[in-house]
Amino acid sequence: MGLKEKISSKKAVVSVIGLGYVGLPLAVNLAKAGFTVLGIDMQEEKVNKVNKGMPYIDDVKAVELKKVINSGNLKAVNDFSVIKKVDIVVICVPTPLTRHRNPDISYVKGVTGEIVKYIHRDMIVILESTTYPGTTEEVVKPALEKSGLKAGKDFYLVFSPERVDPGVKDKEHVSRNIPKVVGGLTKKGTELAGLFYGTIVKKVHPVSLPRVAEMEKLLENIFRVVNISLVNEMALLCDRMDIDIWEVIGAAATKPYGFMPFYPGPGLGGHCIPIDPFYLTWKAKEYDFSSRFIELAGEINEAMPHFVVTKITYALNNSKKCLNGANILVLGVAYKKNIGDIRESPVLKIIDMLLHKNACIQYNDPFVPVLNINNKIYKSVELTAEKLKSADLVLITTGHDAYDAGFIVKNSKLVVDTRNLIKERNIKKVFRL
Ligand SMILES: NC(=O)c1ccc[n+]([C@@H]2O[C@H](COP(=O)([O-])OP(=O)(O)OC[C@H]3O[C@@H](n4cnc5c(N)ncnc54)[C@H](O)[C@@H]3O)[C@@H](O)[C@H]2O)c1
């Protein structure tokens, strides 16, 4: 049976490498669609949890995971030799930055170093990890061709970016409704990968080459970064001019065309937005090209946590208090609302700066029970009226839906709201970004 028939009849065996935020939901979706999926992860603990039907990612429900484990459609392993018998491999490993903010593609290299041992003819290898344009063709291809097999001739090589929005509850944006961009080294590879993804998403958008798909993903994220930085800059100026930035954005957003609202905040967070653009700035240098928009956006966004600390100092000063020794209750440490993800969260930076200025910090986050800051463990405190009353200042850093603005305002002495959680205006004790 050819690959086309195997995919159409769901007889193709798939391996998803890296069972994290991207890989685990993908593996479950493919298993639900009827494929036999062998998930590979280097972390024994994750492998065991998956096989016991215990998800560790918010977006995967235990009942769904148990179903595909019990049906035998999904199995997790810590052994690359299973690749000998798989038809499609999807790579979903991390692509972070090094300490010097350069791309760290060591995980991708590590995985291709394993795949090459077991690669065989008529197989599709798909890279989903976000990376700089050229990775699939310049790094993955030569690594896999060490097997003696030729990409595009003996096996298919494809890049297809992931667009998951972690923790999203909006039915419109569940993965099935998000079109999948697919760029293969050859037309046939693109077609086969498109057929494969078409089994789990409604729309597939083919592009001519892997590097187009790689660049497309970066454009999406850079678009967000640049627009967020623009609105952050506007927020800084509005603050000086005593204009309410939130009211300005609300008014601009009434324009039915040509404007898309972005909102200011305490800084960028998450695994993608603060990291991915720097993959491109790094690559651009190879072409004597300086990506100024990205650099400038990074500069403005990185200044936001500092601005929040300045705002806190100003608010305390207004009440004849100083930061040194102030009791500050931080509401929300996750980088965005209604999830427990603290990766790259700017709140961690803000807390660290406040601690360095000798403030006393407590926090509440319904999704983050414990927090490690500079090797000290903090526990989320209960959000009671007494707790709010006892703080010199309450800092709202994540706009979780669970936070009741009225309750917070009523019981707090002083509030700095970086998320516009408190909609009511002209309350003297509330300071807004
Ligand atoms: N999280 C998101 O919202 C998101 C969205 C779009 C794209 N992405 C991209 O997807 C990729 C994966 O991100 P993620 O958030 O799922 O990361 P993650 O850290 O949640 O998961 C990666 C997994 O890969 C495993 N892994 C690492 N090296 C391995 C190896 N050599 N062999 C087997 N397993 C290995 C890790 O143990 C981990 O479980 C990144 O490139 C990221 O930029 C992430």
Side-chain angles (χ1 to χ4, degrees):
M1 197 188 286
L3 262 177
K4 197 172 170 187
E5 290 70 35
K6 280 190 187 174
I7 294 169
S8 304
S9 62
K10 317 274 174 62
K11 293 225 160 66
V13 180
V14 185
S15 183
V16 175
I17 305 177
L19 299 174
Y21 282 86
V22 167
L24 185 60
L26 175 69
V28 171
N29 283 342
L30 290 166
K32 266 167 62 184
F35 290 104
T36 299
V37 183
L38 296 161
I40 304 178
D41 204 286
M42 69 197 302
Q43 291 183 45
E44 199 68 49
E45 196 193 336
K46 284 190 176 172
V47 169
N48 291 337
K49 280 192 171 165
V50 171
N51 288 332
K52 284 184 191 150
M54 292 162 58
Y56 41 84
I57 304 264
D58 289 347
D59 291 345
V60 176
K61 293 191 190 84
V63 51
E64 292 195 344
L65 181 59
K66 281 198 178 104
K67 217 168 161 182
V68 288
I69 292 289
N70 292 340
S71 69
N73 282 50
L74 175 63
K75 190 179 170 211
V77 295
N78 182 0
D79 171 15
F80 279 85
S81 70
V82 295
I83 290 172
K84 273 187 247 168
K85 53 183 180 195
V86 310
D87 302 294
I88 302 167
V89 170
V90 190
I91 305 168
C92 307
V93 292
T95 42
L97 293 175
T98 63
R99 277 193 62 196
H100 297 100
R101 300 190 77 71
N102 288 329
D104 174 4
I105 55 162
S106 58
Y107 296 91
V108 174
K109 284 184 174 165
V111 160
T112 46
E114 291 295 328
I115 299 172
V116 71
K117 297 180 195 163
Y118 310 105
I119 196 166
H120 49 84
R121 274 172 209 282
D122 288 335
M123 188 175 153
I124 311 175
V125 178
I126 306 172
L127 179 62
E128 281 212 9
S129 303
T130 309
T131 184
Y132 59 81
T135 309
T136 308
E137 290 154 90
E138 295 162 14
V139 179
V140 180
K141 180 174 174 280
L144 296 182
E145 287 184 338
K146 281 191 186 144
S147 61
L149 298 179
K150 279 261 160 281
K153 184 167 159 271
D154 302 315
F155 66 93
Y156 301 99
L157 185 58
V158 177
F159 183 82
S160 179
E162 175 53 57
R163 289 169 151 174
V164 68
D165 189 0
V168 75
K169 301 279 180 285
D170 177 359
K171 289 244 172 339
E172 276 295 298
H173 293 130
V174 291
S175 59
R176 190 165 178 72
N177 295 334
I178 304 174
K180 195 93 171 94
V181 173
V182 174
L185 203 62
T186 55
K187 212 166 163 222
K188 181 86 190 289
T190 307
E191 272 169 25
L192 286 169
L195 186 69
F196 168 61
Y197 283 118
T199 61
I200 54 165
V201 299
K202 281 187 190 157
K203 195 165 183 284
V204 169
H205 183 89
V207 293
S208 58
L209 283 167
R211 72 185 96 124
V212 176
E214 288 161 338
M215 185 65 114
E216 172 284 314
K217 170 70 187 176
L218 293 181
L219 173 61
E220 287 173 27
N221 285 352
I222 291 162
F223 172 80
R224 281 188 62 73
V225 168
V226 168
N227 278 289
I228 292 168
S229 77
L230 172 67
V231 86
N232 275 335
E233 191 179 67
M234 293 285 286
L236 298 179
L237 177 60
C238 281
D239 185 70
R240 258 184 226 189
M241 296 175 73
D242 200 18
I243 297 172
D244 184 336
I245 181 69
W246 305 94
E247 193 182 354
V248 171
I249 299 167
T254 60
K255 187 178 179 185
Y257 59 93
F259 182 82
M260 185 187 278
F262 283 84
Y263 299 97
L268 296 181
H271 183 267
C272 300
I273 301 292
I275 293 172
D276 302 346
F278 295 101
Y279 267 67
L280 191 60
T281 51
W282 176 85
K283 186 69 179 173
K285 289 191 186 114
E286 196 180 307
Y287 295 83
D288 297 331
F289 193 96
S290 149
S291 39
R292 285 172 289 169
F293 263 111
I294 302 172
E295 298 285 0
L296 181 60
E299 223 173 89
I300 295 169
N301 290 329
E302 274 163 26
M304 291 314 285
H306 296 268
F307 178 68
V308 173
V309 173
T310 307
K311 195 91 196 170
I312 292 168
T313 314
Y314 174 81
L316 285 166
N317 190 47
N318 232 32
S319 302
K320 300 192 168 52
K321 291 215 166 89
C322 70
L323 191 49
N324 194 333
N327 289 311
I328 298 180
L329 176 62
V330 178
L331 300 187
V333 291
Y335 81 90
K336 72 172 188 179
K337 68 176 190 173
N338 304 333
I339 61 168
D341 194 343
I342 57 164
R343 291 183 296 176
E344 306 286 323
S345 172
V347 189
L348 307 183
K349 199 168 198 176
I350 293 169
I351 293 178
D352 186 49
M353 284 191 279
L354 293 173
L355 288 170
H356 269 94
K357 292 183 191 307
N358 296 321
C360 307
I361 302 294
Q362 291 195 305
Y363 88 96
N364 166 276
D365 193 312
F367 299 91
V368 186
V370 282
L371 196 61
N372 181 337
I373 304 233
N374 301 332
N375 294 323
K376 193 173 163 202
I377 301 295
Y378 292 78
K379 283 192 178 151
S380 172
V381 297
E382 209 184 324
L383 191 55
T384 60
E386 289 66 42
K387 194 47 90 185
L388 288 165
K389 280 178 187 150
S390 68
D392 294 312
L393 183 142
V394 173
L395 172 68
I396 302 171
T397 24
T398 316
H400 292 309
D401 288 345
Y403 289 149
D404 178 343
F407 177 71
I408 294 168
V409 173
K410 186 172 161 225
N411 295 295
S412 307
K413 290 187 199 119
L414 201 56
V415 183
V416 170
D417 180 5
T418 68
R419 297 290 185 181
N420 196 29
L421 186 85
I422 300 162
K423 299 289 182 288
E424 206 183 319
R425 292 316 198 233
N426 301 320
I427 310 174
K428 276 219 161 80
K429 62 181 175 182
V430 176
F431 292 78
R432 209 167 265 105
L433 192 73

